Amino acid sequence: IMIVEPDRLVAELLAHHLTSNLGHPVVAVSAHADQAVADYERLEPQLVITEFTLPERSGLELLLELFRRGHTVQTIILTGPTNGDSLQ
């Protein structure tokens, strides 16, 4: 599993839950789409979990780039509030 999430805390919590509680290996955690493309091409994980809103391009654009490069991958796209207002 590869996680693409710009919020480091969210990425760490998700990776911990997937590995410790569910037994799924997380092979990469990326904060940016460009790094995620490089990580994907190097590691070829079976699943990508990505935040929709990334710093330089969206999670959807990341997936389109992977497909453009000939990769097919199972994907989960996450999204949530862009600020902490709704988390109070």
Side-chain angles (χ1 to χ4, degrees), residues 1-2 26-30 35-46:
I1 297 175
M2 180 172 77
V26 174
V27 297
V29 176
S30 304
Q35 181 62 47
V37 170
D39 288 344
Y40 184 88
E41 291 191 324
R42 182 172 48 88
L43 301 166
E44 296 188 6
Q46 294 179 341

Side-chain angles (χ1 to χ4, degrees), residues 1-2 4 9 12 19-22 24 41 44 47 51-52 56 62 69 71 75 81 88:
I1 297 175
M2 180 172 77
V4 187
L9 179 59
E12 289 176 0
T19 57
S20 297
N21 297 337
L22 300 176
H24 297 292
E41 291 191 324
E44 296 188 6
L47 174 66
E51 167 65 43
F52 182 80
E56 67 279 349
L62 162 63
R69 293 174 180 230
H71 303 293
T75 307
Q88 298 176 359

